């Protein structure tokens, strides 16, 4: 399994999509208590569950990691741990996976400067004030400690999404072949 970690607009989502396109890597489908949006499908975008169901699953140790965001729970189930899957988590989520001590879970920190990330956010349609807030929040979460916890650091600033995905997959495949 590939885990991508990085601040907002560091390239995680685009690299994950490119890994799917180039190498047929599948996205890890997580559980959430948030309402399903119009174009989403249960079992494709997320597993949509009630708050009660989620908390029961959590009690049963069903999840590797969970988080709460905007009053909704999100969690990655243990059954999603497989080769040729890709997951995006924050540094706290990564810590849960590191505790598994599973050599087949390989993590990558997507690194880009604040200015590059700010420009990417604006280009994708984020409001300037929202971009500034996200960068300030990310400064606390995504620091050198988070970067040093990952197996690899990918410079997503100076190369294309495709190049980043190729680098990630090459390192992933190389590590798996050594096991």
């Amino acid at each position: 399994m590939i885990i991508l970690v990085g601040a907002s607009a560091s390239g995680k989502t685009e690299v994950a999509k490119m890994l799917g396109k180039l190498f047929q890597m599948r996205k890890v489908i997580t559980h959430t208590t948030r309402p399903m949006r119009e174009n989403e499908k249960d079992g494709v975008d997320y597993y949509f569950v009630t708050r009660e169901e989620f908390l029961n699953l959590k009690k049963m140790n069903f999840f590797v990691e969970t988080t709460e965001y905007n009053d909704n729970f999100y969690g990655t189930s243990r059954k999603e741990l497989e080769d040729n899957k890709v997951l995006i988590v924050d540094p706290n989520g990564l810590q849960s996976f590191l505790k598994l001590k599973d050599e087949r879970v390989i993590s990558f920190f997507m690194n880009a400067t604040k200015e590059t990330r700010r420009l990417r956010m604006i280009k994708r349609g984020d409001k300037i004030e929202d971009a500034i807030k996200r960068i300030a929040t990310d400064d606390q979460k995504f620091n050198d400690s988070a970067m040093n916890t990952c197996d690899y650091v990918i410079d997503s600033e100076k190369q294309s999404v495709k190049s980043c995905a190729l680098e990630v997959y090459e390192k992933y495949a190389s590590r798996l072949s050594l096991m």
Side-chain angles (χ1 to χ4, degrees), residues 134-149:
R134 289 185 82 175
I135 287 171
T137 301
D138 286 351
D139 281 349
Q140 296 168 352
K141 243 198 241 189
F142 298 93
N143 52 32
D144 287 343
S145 173
M147 187 167 34
N148 294 334
T149 305

Side-chain angles (χ1 to χ4, degrees), residues 9 52 88 125 128 142 153:
E52 183 180 354
I88 297 170
I128 292 174
F142 298 93
V153 175

Side-chain angles (χ1 to χ4, degrees), residues 126-138:
D126 293 7
K127 294 178 184 171
I128 292 174
E129 50 280 1
D130 291 342
I132 291 168
K133 283 180 193 172
R134 289 185 82 175
I135 287 171
T137 301
D138 286 351

Side-chain angles (χ1 to χ4, degrees), residues 60-110:
M60 295 173 9
N61 202 28
F62 182 78
F63 298 111
V64 175
E65 60 89 26
T66 62
T67 191
E68 188 174 5
Y69 181 74
N70 284 343
D71 295 323
N72 294 299
F73 288 113
Y74 295 82
T76 306
S77 72
R78 294 180 185 284
K79 71 177 185 173
E80 286 289 323
L81 290 174
E82 295 178 25
D83 289 348
N84 296 315
K85 284 198 168 185
V86 62
L87 173 67
I88 297 170
V89 296
D90 67 10
N92 288 332
L94 176 62
Q95 291 306 313
S96 298
F97 283 92
L98 293 176
K99 288 176 186 171
L100 296 174
K101 299 194 184 302
D102 184 340
E103 293 178 354
R104 300 186 77 77
V105 174
I106 302 166
S107 59
F108 296 84
F109 188 89
M110 305 303 295

Side-chain angles (χ1 to χ4, degrees), residues 140-174:
Q140 296 168 352
K141 243 198 241 189
F142 298 93
N143 52 32
D144 287 343
S145 173
M147 187 167 34
N148 294 334
T149 305
C150 289
D151 295 308
Y152 299 99
V153 175
I154 304 296
D155 182 352
S156 64
E157 183 167 337
K158 296 185 177 96
Q159 53 183 330
S160 68
V161 170
K162 185 175 182 179
S163 294
C164 287
L166 290 169
E167 183 180 352
V168 165
Y169 191 79
E170 178 184 297
K171 288 177 178 351
Y172 171 72
S174 176

